[in-house]
Amino acid sequence: MGFFGYYAVLGPNGILAYRDYSRKLAQRQAYYACLDKARSELRNRVALLDPRHADPDMVDELVRKQLNVAHPDEFIMPLGTGTGNADRCAGTVDG
């Protein structure tokens, strides 16, 4: 009885391990929410680049980015480090 009681409380699937499972579940749900948000942002950008009706502002942004050109009266200010959407979510889960 002591053996089964010990593993029911302190074993790998015991009562004390439940807290760790709950913490990991919360982390994974936060990670999934972050990835879901990144996926919806990418889906929006893809929709704006649809060949049948491309958004002129998005096309202009991508052309300028790829060709590295700007008008003489424009000032370019970088907004981020350029990391991808998945990299932004990588800190929300511990392996």
Side-chain angles (χ1 to χ4, degrees), residues 65 78-85 87-88:
K65 189 177 194 179
L79 297 176
T81 59
T83 60
N85 290 325
D87 296 338
R88 181 177 26 179

Side-chain angles (χ1 to χ4, degrees), residues 10 18 20 23 26 32 34 38 43 51 54-55 57 66 69 71 73 81-82 90 93:
L10 299 174
Y18 178 73
D20 188 43
R23 180 183 57 81
Y32 176 74
C34 182
R43 185 178 290 140
D55 182 42
D57 292 332
Q66 291 292 324
V69 296
H71 292 294
D73 61 342
T81 59
V93 69

Side-chain angles (χ1 to χ4, degrees), residues 6-78:
Y6 173 80
Y7 275 96
V9 175
L10 299 174
N13 294 324
I15 295 171
L16 296 179
Y18 178 73
R19 284 184 272 171
D20 188 43
Y21 289 141
S22 298
R23 180 183 57 81
K24 286 183 180 179
L25 177 64
Q27 286 178 342
R28 299 292 161 95
Q29 287 174 338
Y31 179 68
Y32 176 74
C34 182
L35 288 178
D36 194 37
K37 181 180 177 194
R39 182 177 63 185
S40 66
E41 290 173 1
L42 287 174
R43 185 178 290 140
N44 182 35
R45 289 181 67 90
V46 168
L48 291 174
L49 290 174
D50 185 14
R52 291 171 286 181
H53 48 82
D55 182 42
D57 292 332
M58 179 64 73
V59 172
D60 185 51
E61 174 188 338
L62 288 176
V63 166
R64 288 172 184 245
K65 189 177 194 179
Q66 291 292 324
L67 298 178
N68 198 20
V69 296
H71 292 294
D73 61 342
E74 289 181 336
F75 179 74
I76 299 173
M77 182 181 308

